[in-house]
Amino acid sequence: MIKRLAFGGLFILSCSFASAQQLARVQEKGLVGFINKDGSFQITPQFKNAQDQSEGKIAVYDGSRWGFVDKDANYIIQPQYVNAKSFSQGMAMVKSASGWLYIDSLGQELKSISSKRVYEFNDGVAFYRDATNLVGLINNKQEVVLPPTYDVIRPFKDGYAKVAKNKKWGVIDNQGKEVVAPNYDDIGDFNVGLVWAKKQNNWFLVSGQKEIALPGISKIEHIENSDFILVQQGNKVGFMASDGKWVIPATYDDARNFQEGLAPVKLNGKWGYIDTTGKMVIPTAYQDALSFSPEGLAAVKEGKWGFIDRDAKVVIPFQYEITAALTFKKQEKGFIDGLARVKLNGKWGFIDTKGNLLGNKWFDNAELFQN
């Protein structure tokens, strides 16, 4: 049940926000600006620092104080804060001389029910602590979604968060409902209806109250696909289904998750690609390899990084640097919505699937496009 708490007549405006255009944060000569997906500047580099845009507002630092501007760099809230975070759920965390607090979209200060500290909102909720030092959840109206119950709540990801109670871990959703009871020594991120969990040195796949033991397993991390879960057994890796049965035996030295029906695998120091039957469809010939994107291209490394298609044809030559995805981690590199973030001669930019440089422009730094 949601409990409503009143605070001296203060309230939060509930706002609905139209879908914002995608912008990427870039840096030139020590100043930060934003570009559109056609490569043109939406905001020319003019700020010492900035957060990504959120809900039509951008937290910016003018070298002295933080404030908020709109997509045309017009100040919505004048620079006055020691620090500031992006807006979420119609409110933002800002730091004044007296500490962190919440403001609404008009810059009005909002009281928090927590006397200890305030936390950023994500997935519609924020943490709060009471005198017991336990953690609960509030929504953007300062209503209690979950009374202080857990010793730890980790940040929410796609509506779910890890929680700890008496040094045991479980999972809750952003309504405060316990999805997996805190019975485990360690636990992963809940995704596609599943999570990995550990008791002592024993690994499990857990879905709600259903628990499948995985004897002999030595590592699982992020689960992206319930049909092909990347699993390590001893010093080899393979893929399991959600019922705990092997679909592709653990015969590879390393691997990354399936995307677009193919997965990068490593054998004898070289990377190639297998299909969902385990057949090697692109031979192991590369120093490194990332998963295929919906655009039909994958980043592979031969000294430098380039991009190949599903027939192993080199579409974009080996000349770039990128930040390679870590094994077992969700990939955020390569092509995303038709553009790939790459580095050449110490500068960052975006290329399209033909290898054309977006806006014909390189930057000292460039972050991924965000709504």
Side-chain angles (χ1 to χ4, degrees):
M1 177 181 294
I2 292 179
K3 180 181 178 184
R4 182 180 295 275
L5 301 179
F7 291 92
L10 288 171
F11 64 94
I12 298 175
L13 296 174
S14 296
C15 302
S16 61
F17 296 91
S19 296
Q21 67 194 89
Q22 287 195 323
L23 301 178
R25 184 160 38 111
V26 297
Q27 186 174 9
E28 268 190 342
K29 299 178 181 178
L31 296 177
V32 177
F34 291 82
I35 60 171
N36 294 299
K37 294 203 79 172
D38 64 3
S40 65
F41 278 114
Q42 179 66 35
I43 298 177
T44 57
Q46 58 189 279
F47 301 107
K48 289 292 186 180
N49 202 354
Q51 304 282 2
D52 286 324
Q53 76 159 345
S54 178
E55 299 184 353
K57 304 173 189 64
I58 303 169
V60 296
Y61 180 61
D62 67 2
S64 176
R65 288 287 185 268
W66 285 82
F68 292 85
V69 298
D70 63 17
K71 66 179 180 63
D72 297 316
N74 300 312
Y75 273 102
I76 301 168
I77 299 171
Q78 292 295 318
Q80 56 192 286
Y81 304 111
V82 178
N83 205 343
K85 304 294 185 181
S86 297
F87 267 85
S88 177
Q89 303 296 308
M91 59 197 302
M93 275 180 59
V94 295
K95 188 176 183 180
S96 68
S98 58
W100 287 95
L101 55 97
Y102 294 126
I103 60 170
D104 66 17
S105 58
L106 300 177
Q108 303 277 344
E109 181 178 337
L110 300 162
K111 297 295 184 182
S112 168
I113 69 174
S114 174
S115 59
K116 287 182 172 289
R117 58 171 292 187
V118 297
Y119 296 83
E120 277 190 273
F121 275 79
N122 78 314
D123 275 359
V125 291
F127 310 146
Y128 83 101
R129 291 185 184 272
D130 66 3
T132 69
N133 210 35
L134 295 176
V135 189
L137 300 173
I138 57 172
N139 64 18
N140 68 336
K141 298 177 182 177
Q142 299 288 301
E143 296 167 338
V144 176
V145 175
L146 173 71
T149 303
Y150 299 100
D151 301 316
V152 179
I153 303 179
R154 296 295 186 205
F156 280 82
K157 296 179 181 179
D158 299 321
Y160 299 94
K162 306 176 194 179
V163 295
K165 191 173 186 179
N166 300 322
K167 298 184 179 179
K168 296 293 183 180
W169 289 89
V171 175
I172 62 172
D173 65 19
N174 59 4
Q175 300 302 308
K177 179 183 176 183
E178 204 164 80
V179 177
V180 177
N183 296 326
Y184 300 95
D185 298 329
D186 197 6
I187 203 162
D189 292 324
F190 194 84
N191 191 37
V192 295
L194 281 172
V195 68
W196 64 257
K198 283 183 71 177
K199 292 178 183 176
Q200 297 179 342
N201 291 321
N202 300 312
W203 289 79
F204 301 86
L205 289 176
V206 184
S207 177
Q209 303 305 312
K210 185 179 179 181
E211 178 187 88
I212 298 173
L214 304 175
I217 298 307
S218 52
K219 190 175 184 180
I220 307 174
E221 285 201 20
H222 187 76
I223 298 174
E224 288 191 33
N225 185 330
S226 60
D227 295 323
F228 295 94
I229 300 167
L230 188 53
V231 174
Q232 183 172 325
Q233 185 180 50
N235 60 356
K236 297 291 184 178
V237 299
F239 295 87
M240 274 186 177
S242 58
D243 60 5
K245 296 179 180 178
W246 289 100
V247 289
I248 297 175
T251 56
Y252 304 103
D253 300 328
D254 206 346
R256 294 189 171 113
N257 281 296
F258 273 94
Q259 288 184 200
E260 306 303 310
L262 299 176
V265 295
K266 185 180 182 181
L267 280 173
N268 302 317
K270 294 290 186 178
W271 287 83
Y273 292 84
I274 59 172
D275 65 16
T276 55
T277 69
K279 178 184 177 182
M280 187 73 70
V281 294
I282 297 178
T284 49
Y286 307 102
Q287 291 175 297
D288 205 346
L290 303 185
S291 299
F292 273 84
S293 68
E295 291 81 2
L297 298 179
V300 293
K301 187 177 183 181
E302 287 186 1
K304 298 288 187 178
W305 288 87
F307 293 83
I308 60 171
D309 64 17
R310 296 172 69 95
D311 295 321
K313 178 184 175 182
V314 177
V315 177
I316 297 173
F318 299 95
Q319 60 180 331
Y320 298 109
E321 296 176 48
I322 63 175
T323 304
L326 296 175
T327 303
F328 290 110
K329 298 295 186 182
K330 186 175 181 180
Q331 182 174 312
E332 294 183 349
K333 310 302 174 185
F335 277 92
I336 301 172
D337 295 333
L339 294 172
R341 177 178 176 264
V342 295
K343 188 178 184 181
L344 181 66
N345 299 325
K347 298 286 188 177
W348 288 94
F350 299 91
I351 56 173
D352 66 16
T353 56
K354 303 294 185 183
N356 300 313
L357 179 63
L358 182 68
N360 199 32
K361 183 72 174 175
W362 294 100
F363 302 96
D364 297 331
N365 194 25
E367 304 296 336
L368 294 176
F369 280 89
Q370 305 285 345
N371 283 322

